Structure formats: structure tokens, C-alpha cells
Amino acid sequence: MNLLEHFGIKDVIDILLVAYFLYQTYKLMKISGATALFSGIMSFIFIWILVSQILEMRLLGAILDKFMSFGIIVLIVLFQDEIRRFLSEFGSHGGLKFISKIFAKRETSANKDRSYVMPIVMACMNMAKTKTGALIALKETTSLEPYIETGERINGEVSTRLIENIFFKNSPLHDGAVIIDGDTIVAAGCILPVAQTHNIPRELGLRHRSALGLSQETDAKIIIVSEERGTISVAHKGKFTLDVSGEELQRILSQED
């Protein structure tokens, strides 16, 4: 009865925040293929709370306390990429998205009507027909500046012909990724992070792994045109949409998160 009397709105918020944190952590571990490790960590924490706080076993509790102190440092070192990805997710399109909307500048007409989508779709369809490999990243809210710096700055208006010329097989920039921000092709020949998960089908090559890697770290939409199969796929938020048609690609790129 005394416990219920002291249970208030602050405790509800506390429980909800912990639940949200655990859910986001589980999602990142699932993407990284480390769900078994997540389960092991949660089991260890449960045992630690049981021994130290509930049963009050001093000797075993002291030993587990030491493990917890050093374990946190070890986990930060081992999962620094996942932690960075979580903070990026939380800041860009997670829990603080409403704040960015309040303080964000008004969108330009290009961002509102997304008139640049059709030239991209047409270029991808043409390249798919000729089995010309391509990798195109469309910026959403997360900055892609670190990846832009790995390529060559272009800052040209989006056009079907320009995209096709960049990925022409004899072009010096065709092996890298094109990064597009709104109606501007910002850079080409960019290097993207390669996904380390083992859940990717074997028939998907390096372009698909790079697209998935960027989609895990940012909220960008990444288009892949397969050189081997002549198909179009999209990576977004750590997931693939494979073998899309021109209409489906236009719909995916036109949607706002």
C-alpha cells in the first residue's frame, strides 16, 4: 500500500523512458545482428539487480558491481558505432524530431513538391535497362557531409542526363555514390559505410551493402541499380525494398518521413 501511495507521474515517466531506451537499443542490436548479446546483457542486469538490491547479498553483489563498472566501459568501446547510430537516430528522426520541426527553416519549393524526383526515377529506369550500376543517396534530415567530403563536389541541378553521365561506365566517378540534397547533386564518387550485418542475401553486392550501411547510420533514402540484374532497389532505415518499379520508386522518394 505504501508503494502505491508514493507512485506518481514522475515514476510513470521514468518507466516510459526506460522502456523507450530499451526498445531503441533492441532495434539497433537487431540491425547489427546482436540480439543474443542484448538478451545476455539484459539477463546479467536482472541478476545484478536481484542479487544487489533485492536479496542484498553483499559479497556477490560487490563482485557484480565491479563487473558493471568495467562492463559499461567495455560496451562503449565495443559498440561505439551502434551508440553513435542511436544518438543520430534519436536526434534526427527519433525522439527530438518535433524540436527540429519547430526550429527548422521553412522548406523550399523544391523540397515541398519534390519536383526533382522524376528526373532521378527516369535516370534509374534508363540505367536499369542498360544494366548500368548506380548508387544514389537522397538526403533527408541527417547531414551527409562526412560522406560528401569523400567524393568530388558537383553542386549541379538534378537532371536525368547528368545522373546517367556520372554513372557511365567510362566515367571516373561511376564507382562511387552520388549524394543529392533537394534538387541539387552535391557530390559524386562518394564512399559510403559498408553494413557489417550477415543478414544480407548473398546475391546482393557491395553497392547494396554500402546502401544498407548508410541507411543504418542516417535517414537518407538510397537507390541501388544492379549492374548484374538490371533491377532497382531502395535502402531506408536499415531495410531493403527490392526490385521496385518506376512507379514504386517515385512513390518511395516522394514520401516524407
Short mmCIF file of all heavy atoms in Angstrom, two decimals, residues 1-25:
data_model
loop_
_atom_site.label_atom_id
_atom_site.label_comp_id
_atom_site.label_asym_id
_atom_site.label_seq_id
_atom_site.Cartn_x
_atom_site.Cartn_y
_atom_site.Cartn_z
N MET A 1 0.83 -1.21 0.00
CA MET A 1 0.00 0.00 0.00
C MET A 1 0.86 1.25 0.00
O MET A 1 0.58 2.23 -0.68
CB MET A 1 -0.94 -0.02 1.22
CG MET A 1 -2.01 1.05 1.17
SD MET A 1 -3.24 0.74 -0.13
CE MET A 1 -4.31 2.14 0.11
N ASN A 2 1.93 1.22 0.81
CA ASN A 2 2.83 2.37 0.87
C ASN A 2 3.49 2.63 -0.48
O ASN A 2 3.74 3.77 -0.85
CB ASN A 2 3.90 2.15 1.94
CG ASN A 2 3.30 2.16 3.34
OD1 ASN A 2 2.27 2.78 3.56
ND2 ASN A 2 3.93 1.44 4.27
N LEU A 3 3.77 1.55 -1.21
CA LEU A 3 4.41 1.68 -2.52
C LEU A 3 3.50 2.41 -3.50
O LEU A 3 3.94 3.26 -4.26
CB LEU A 3 4.77 0.29 -3.07
CG LEU A 3 5.50 0.26 -4.42
CD1 LEU A 3 6.84 0.97 -4.31
CD2 LEU A 3 5.67 -1.17 -4.91
N LEU A 4 2.20 2.08 -3.45
CA LEU A 4 1.24 2.73 -4.34
C LEU A 4 1.05 4.20 -3.99
O LEU A 4 0.81 5.03 -4.87
CB LEU A 4 -0.11 2.01 -4.28
CG LEU A 4 -0.14 0.57 -4.82
CD1 LEU A 4 -1.51 -0.05 -4.60
CD2 LEU A 4 0.21 0.57 -6.31
N GLU A 5 1.16 4.52 -2.70
CA GLU A 5 0.99 5.90 -2.28
C GLU A 5 2.10 6.79 -2.81
O GLU A 5 1.89 7.96 -3.12
CB GLU A 5 0.95 5.96 -0.74
CG GLU A 5 -0.31 5.37 -0.15
CD GLU A 5 -0.29 5.40 1.37
OE1 GLU A 5 0.75 5.84 1.92
OE2 GLU A 5 -1.30 5.02 2.01
N HIS A 6 3.31 6.24 -2.93
CA HIS A 6 4.45 7.03 -3.40
C HIS A 6 4.61 6.97 -4.93
O HIS A 6 5.50 7.60 -5.48
CB HIS A 6 5.74 6.54 -2.73
CG HIS A 6 5.78 6.82 -1.25
ND1 HIS A 6 5.97 8.08 -0.74
CD2 HIS A 6 5.62 5.99 -0.19
CE1 HIS A 6 5.96 8.02 0.59
NE2 HIS A 6 5.75 6.76 0.95
N PHE A 7 3.77 6.17 -5.58
CA PHE A 7 3.87 6.02 -7.03
C PHE A 7 3.13 7.18 -7.70
O PHE A 7 1.92 7.34 -7.56
CB PHE A 7 3.26 4.69 -7.46
CG PHE A 7 3.55 4.32 -8.88
CD1 PHE A 7 4.74 3.69 -9.23
CD2 PHE A 7 2.65 4.62 -9.89
CE1 PHE A 7 5.03 3.36 -10.54
CE2 PHE A 7 2.91 4.29 -11.20
CZ PHE A 7 4.10 3.65 -11.53
N GLY A 8 3.88 8.02 -8.43
CA GLY A 8 3.28 9.19 -9.05
C GLY A 8 3.60 9.31 -10.52
O GLY A 8 4.12 8.39 -11.16
N ILE A 9 3.31 10.48 -11.10
CA ILE A 9 3.51 10.72 -12.53
C ILE A 9 4.99 10.65 -12.91
O ILE A 9 5.35 10.24 -14.01
CB ILE A 9 2.90 12.10 -12.92
CG1 ILE A 9 2.96 12.30 -14.43
CG2 ILE A 9 3.62 13.23 -12.19
CD1 ILE A 9 2.10 11.35 -15.21
N LYS A 10 5.85 11.05 -11.96
CA LYS A 10 7.29 11.00 -12.23
C LYS A 10 7.76 9.57 -12.43
O LYS A 10 8.62 9.30 -13.27
CB LYS A 10 8.05 11.66 -11.07
CG LYS A 10 9.55 11.76 -11.31
CD LYS A 10 10.23 12.61 -10.25
CE LYS A 10 10.17 11.91 -8.90
NZ LYS A 10 10.96 12.66 -7.87
N ASP A 11 7.18 8.64 -11.68
CA ASP A 11 7.54 7.23 -11.82
C ASP A 11 7.06 6.67 -13.16
O ASP A 11 7.72 5.84 -13.78
CB ASP A 11 6.96 6.42 -10.67
CG ASP A 11 7.45 6.91 -9.32
OD1 ASP A 11 8.64 6.76 -9.03
OD2 ASP A 11 6.63 7.46 -8.57
N VAL A 12 5.88 7.10 -13.59
CA VAL A 12 5.36 6.67 -14.90
C VAL A 12 6.28 7.14 -16.02
O VAL A 12 6.63 6.37 -16.93
CB VAL A 12 3.93 7.20 -15.12
CG1 VAL A 12 3.45 6.87 -16.53
CG2 VAL A 12 2.98 6.63 -14.09
N ILE A 13 6.70 8.40 -15.95
CA ILE A 13 7.62 8.94 -16.96
C ILE A 13 8.94 8.19 -16.93
O ILE A 13 9.52 7.87 -17.99
CB ILE A 13 7.84 10.45 -16.72
CG1 ILE A 13 6.54 11.22 -16.92
CG2 ILE A 13 8.92 10.98 -17.65
CD1 ILE A 13 6.62 12.68 -16.55
N ASP A 14 9.41 7.87 -15.73
CA ASP A 14 10.66 7.13 -15.57
C ASP A 14 10.58 5.77 -16.27
O ASP A 14 11.47 5.36 -17.02
CB ASP A 14 10.96 6.96 -14.08
CG ASP A 14 12.33 6.34 -13.84
OD1 ASP A 14 13.19 6.43 -14.73
OD2 ASP A 14 12.54 5.76 -12.76
N ILE A 15 9.47 5.06 -16.04
CA ILE A 15 9.29 3.73 -16.64
C ILE A 15 9.19 3.83 -18.16
O ILE A 15 9.78 3.03 -18.89
CB ILE A 15 8.03 3.06 -16.05
CG1 ILE A 15 8.24 2.74 -14.57
CG2 ILE A 15 7.69 1.79 -16.82
CD1 ILE A 15 6.98 2.27 -13.86
N LEU A 16 8.46 4.83 -18.65
CA LEU A 16 8.30 5.00 -20.10
C LEU A 16 9.63 5.32 -20.78
O LEU A 16 9.92 4.82 -21.87
CB LEU A 16 7.28 6.10 -20.38
CG LEU A 16 5.82 5.79 -20.04
CD1 LEU A 16 4.94 7.01 -20.28
CD2 LEU A 16 5.32 4.60 -20.86
N LEU A 17 10.46 6.15 -20.14
CA LEU A 17 11.77 6.49 -20.70
C LEU A 17 12.69 5.27 -20.75
O LEU A 17 13.40 5.06 -21.75
CB LEU A 17 12.41 7.62 -19.89
CG LEU A 17 11.79 9.01 -20.05
CD1 LEU A 17 12.44 9.99 -19.10
CD2 LEU A 17 11.95 9.50 -21.50
N VAL A 18 12.68 4.49 -19.70
CA VAL A 18 13.50 3.27 -19.68
C VAL A 18 13.02 2.29 -20.76
O VAL A 18 13.83 1.68 -21.47
CB VAL A 18 13.45 2.60 -18.29
CG1 VAL A 18 14.12 1.23 -18.33
CG2 VAL A 18 14.14 3.49 -17.26
N ALA A 19 11.70 2.15 -20.89
CA ALA A 19 11.14 1.24 -21.91
C ALA A 19 11.52 1.71 -23.31
O ALA A 19 11.88 0.89 -24.17
CB ALA A 19 9.62 1.17 -21.76
N TYR A 20 11.46 3.03 -23.55
CA TYR A 20 11.82 3.57 -24.86
C TYR A 20 13.30 3.33 -25.15
O TYR A 20 13.67 2.94 -26.26
CB TYR A 20 11.52 5.08 -24.90
CG TYR A 20 11.98 5.75 -26.17
CD1 TYR A 20 11.24 5.62 -27.35
CD2 TYR A 20 13.15 6.51 -26.20
CE1 TYR A 20 11.66 6.24 -28.51
CE2 TYR A 20 13.57 7.12 -27.35
CZ TYR A 20 12.82 6.99 -28.51
OH TYR A 20 13.26 7.60 -29.67
N PHE A 21 14.14 3.56 -24.15
CA PHE A 21 15.58 3.35 -24.32
C PHE A 21 15.88 1.88 -24.64
O PHE A 21 16.67 1.58 -25.54
CB PHE A 21 16.32 3.78 -23.06
CG PHE A 21 17.78 3.46 -23.08
CD1 PHE A 21 18.67 4.24 -23.80
CD2 PHE A 21 18.29 2.37 -22.37
CE1 PHE A 21 20.03 3.94 -23.82
CE2 PHE A 21 19.63 2.06 -22.39
CZ PHE A 21 20.51 2.86 -23.13
N LEU A 22 15.25 0.97 -23.92
CA LEU A 22 15.48 -0.46 -24.15
C LEU A 22 14.98 -0.87 -25.53
O LEU A 22 15.61 -1.68 -26.22
CB LEU A 22 14.78 -1.29 -23.08
CG LEU A 22 15.39 -1.19 -21.66
CD1 LEU A 22 14.55 -2.00 -20.68
CD2 LEU A 22 16.84 -1.67 -21.66
N TYR A 23 13.85 -0.31 -25.95
CA TYR A 23 13.31 -0.64 -27.28
C TYR A 23 14.24 -0.17 -28.39
O TYR A 23 14.51 -0.91 -29.34
CB TYR A 23 11.93 0.00 -27.43
CG TYR A 23 11.36 -0.12 -28.83
CD1 TYR A 23 10.94 -1.36 -29.32
CD2 TYR A 23 11.23 1.00 -29.64
CE1 TYR A 23 10.42 -1.48 -30.60
CE2 TYR A 23 10.71 0.90 -30.92
CZ TYR A 23 10.31 -0.35 -31.40
OH TYR A 23 9.80 -0.46 -32.67
N GLN A 24 14.74 1.06 -28.28
CA GLN A 24 15.67 1.59 -29.30
C GLN A 24 16.96 0.79 -29.31
O GLN A 24 17.54 0.51 -30.37
CB GLN A 24 15.96 3.07 -29.03
CG GLN A 24 14.78 4.00 -29.24
CD GLN A 24 14.32 4.05 -30.68
OE1 GLN A 24 15.08 3.79 -31.60
NE2 GLN A 24 13.06 4.38 -30.89
N THR A 25 17.44 0.40 -28.12
CA THR A 25 18.66 -0.40 -28.04
C THR A 25 18.45 -1.75 -28.70
O THR A 25 19.31 -2.24 -29.44
CB THR A 25 19.07 -0.60 -26.57
OG1 THR A 25 19.23 0.67 -25.93
CG2 THR A 25 20.39 -1.37 -26.47
#
